[in-house]
Amino acid sequence: MGRTLAEKVWEHHVVRHAEGEPDLLYIDLHLLHEVTSPQAFDGLRLAGRTVRRPDLTLGTEDHNVPTTPGPIVDPVSLTQVETMRKNCAEFGVRLFPMGDAEQGIVHIIGPQLGLTQPGMTIVCGDSHTSTHGAFGALAFGIGTSEVEHVLATQTLPLKPFKTMAINVDGELPDGVTAKDIILAVIAEIGTGGGQGYVLEYRGEAIRALSMEARMTVCNMSIEAGARAGMIAPDDTTFDYLKGRDYAPKGADWDAAVAAWRELETDDDATYDAEIDIDASQLSPYVTWGTNPGQGLPLSANVPDPEMLSDDGERTAAERAIAYMGLTPGAPLRDISVDTVFLGSCTNGRIEDLRAAAEIVKGRKVAGSVRMLVVPGSAKVRLQAESEGLDKVFTDAGAEWRLAGCSMCLGMNPDQLAPGERSASTSNRNFEGRQGKGGRTHLVSPLVAAATAIRGTLSSPADLSK
Amino acid sequence: MEQFTKHTGVGVPLRRSNVDTDQIIPAVYLKRVTRSGFEDGLFSAWRSDDTFVLNNPDFAQGSVLVAGPDFGTGSSREHAVWALMDYGFRVVLSSRFADIFRGNSGKSGLLTAQLRQEDIELIWKLLENEPGMELTVDLEQRTVTAGEHVFAFEVDDYTRWRLLEGLDDVSLTLRHADEITNFESTRPDWKPAVEPA
């Protein structure tokens, strides 16, 4: 019987298989950041162990870094970053620190360097590692104990995943993006719907996406409960990779591409589950609640919990609406925001900044709104500046910042104040995620830009009216 | 890792679904570089609410958390497990756990026992009718006992074995170091590598 993309990559990495035990899987690339690694290095030190493959390990500083020029002010953040530098130096791990030309959000820099390649296994102590699946890599987030395990052994014991195909056919309407696809998928299957599965995004609407847009889709697989999301590599993938720093060169390139072409799911393979989405029926999505599954088309109204038949869902919706300070039945388009955040590993790449700049150009951010534009990496920032995008944003009244995770999770000073409301291109609208008491609506870069101009949740189409 | 065979302690009814790891411990508490002392961050936003279950003295000493479905979603932070354990929890009962959280729990010795949602609802009622009631969680038998009620729970065989034995994953894997070395010799040359520091 045929095999799926996920099954092929898995099989290529099995070091050891024994009945009744998890498979031992080899890890091709281990990415580190300062938040989830200190206790792992400590574990190695206590046990007198070393990093088995420093050449397959790479660190960056992203979660704590300030996005305004200058040193880290918070002493606790500073300790964490200094600990990262000390650990990487002691164990021989390459690190891209603040200020380095290659520094950036861990899931932006891997693909940017060409380190993320099809058919690889990639892990990081960060749930958005699923991003790298856009290249046909099996990539997933791990906890700190597992970080220690990979540092020490370059392997992980894992139980096989189930597979789920997400077929997205049809053509996306204008103004509808990868972010809207994934928000619609999560609204459809729920935050637990992907649990235990690797999602494989398929269909013509996925094939038509750029690599950066595919990364946005795979990035949020975890918000549907799936540890990994994948897209089979194709010419779009190879074109993106070719010539990047760590991509294979010369004859190696040809050998690699030949191997990568074999990864596609076989025609006679079967999935454990399948869902179908019609891209032509999608419209810009926004979340109204406090988990990423609580999303609706922008044209909809805040749901009325009374209309929900399931007790659990009703209670969750009531809680979410109360936390978000919304009125059931009110149009989502009437919700005014205080802050617009454009950035994160979900939507902090150059195409995201270009798309938003296109909308903002020649317009002004509403007086009541602060807009933060945070490139995903130092390279993205430089690229944007070379295209004059920074000017477009600052002329409109937005703030142009340095690279990092920033307001996606507010570990640095970029936070919402209690009760403050944001339209955010990030990935999580959990209670307090962007600052204690903060209220988050997840949106695409296009909706973020239009919302910044109008001051209420809007799509670019609302601007031309 | 400490062995886990059987545990008896006060059950805490947490009537919420989708308790994500940002709720279990907000990011602001993740800046520490140590592995202990995370109990102050546990459910930090909710603990300022007087009606929150852990602010009820009958439940404050709880060690068995009984939660709604989709517990532990979101961020991979293992600090969520450490915060629960540092507070004193040894077991979480739920009808569905997020994958990364469940994996992290098994590594640190926190038992995530999966029960049917209707059993969770019944345990919630028992605990609310008799606050401070103790639950006994028996990993060998895979049962939770609440008064005269006995519920079966699911946990995968491998995690159960590791918890019962108190085994650490890294030393188990290093028994197969030769196989890892053999595998490495078969990796294609064109796979990327970085220049170590």
Side-chain angles (χ1 to χ4, degrees), chain A residues 220-241:
Chain A
M220 289 187 71
S221 303
I222 182 66
E223 311 319 334
R227 277 177 90 165
M230 301 175 82
I231 295 173
D234 57 13
D235 287 333
T236 303
T237 320
F238 310 145
D239 291 346
Y240 177 94
L241 267 170

Side-chain angles (χ1 to χ4, degrees), chain A residues 52 100 110 125 152 172 178 183 185 188 219 244 277 282 300 333 337 371 374 416 438:
Chain A
R52 181 180 176 93
D100 191 285
L172 278 179
L183 286 174
V185 167
E188 168 92 16
N219 171 275
R244 291 189 184 259
I277 305 261
L282 295 178
R333 268 203 170 83
V337 306
M371 182 181 192
V374 184
L416 294 181

Side-chain angles (χ1 to χ4, degrees), chain A residues 314-354:
Chain A
R314 186 168 57 244
T315 316
E318 281 168 358
R319 255 197 74 80
I321 287 170
Y323 180 86
M324 293 295 289
L326 298 175
T327 311
L332 291 168
R333 268 203 170 83
D334 288 352
I335 298 172
S336 45
V337 306
D338 309 293
T339 293
V340 170
F341 172 62
L342 175 61
S344 83
C345 59
T346 312
N347 282 127
R349 285 170 285 267
I350 189 69
E351 287 177 12
D352 300 314
L353 303 190
R354 284 179 191 144

Side-chain angles (χ1 to χ4, degrees), chain A residues 388-464:
Chain A
L389 304 185
D390 57 325
K391 275 287 280 167
V392 171
F393 288 116
T394 52
D395 285 351
E399 296 175 38
W400 179 248
R401 298 293 190 90
L402 302 177
C405 297
S406 180
M407 196 184 267
C408 176
L409 82 171
M411 280 192 82
N412 75 349
D414 305 337
Q415 295 182 16
L416 294 181
E420 221 184 316
R421 185 183 301 283
S422 78
S424 176
T425 65
S426 56
N427 40 57
R428 289 187 175 139
N429 51 344
F430 297 154
E431 289 180 24
R433 168 86 175 176
Q434 296 189 295
K436 194 171 181 180
R439 295 157 167 168
T440 304
H441 297 275
L442 300 177
V443 298
S444 72
L446 292 179
V447 170
T451 301
I453 304 301
R454 279 175 40 108
T456 55
L457 292 178
S458 307
S459 72
D462 297 323
L463 294 174
S464 40

Side-chain angles (χ1 to χ4, degrees), chain A residues 16 26 28 39 52 55 74 77 80 94 143-145 149 191 195-196 246 319 411 428 431 433, chain B residues 16 18 22-23 30-31 34-35 74-75 78 96-97 99 104 173 176 181 184 187 191 194-195 197:
Chain A
R16 182 171 187 276
Y26 198 79
D28 288 321
Q39 294 87 355
R52 181 180 176 93
D55 59 328
D74 176 358
S77 285
Q80 194 159 55
R94 185 83 184 276
T144 298
S145 294
H149 192 282
T191 55
Q195 199 223 72
Y246 288 93
R319 255 197 74 80
M411 280 192 82
R428 289 187 175 139
E431 289 180 24
R433 168 86 175 176
Chain B
R16 296 185 196 223
N18 268 295
D22 273 76
Q23 303 314 313
L30 311 186
K31 298 180 181 183
T34 55
R35 197 154 181 162
S75 156
E78 197 160 320
R96 195 158 64 181
F97 293 96
D99 285 331
N104 287 342
T173 296
H176 309 294
T181 306
E184 284 175 331
R187 295 178 75 236
K191 290 252 183 181
V194 297
E195 309 74 31

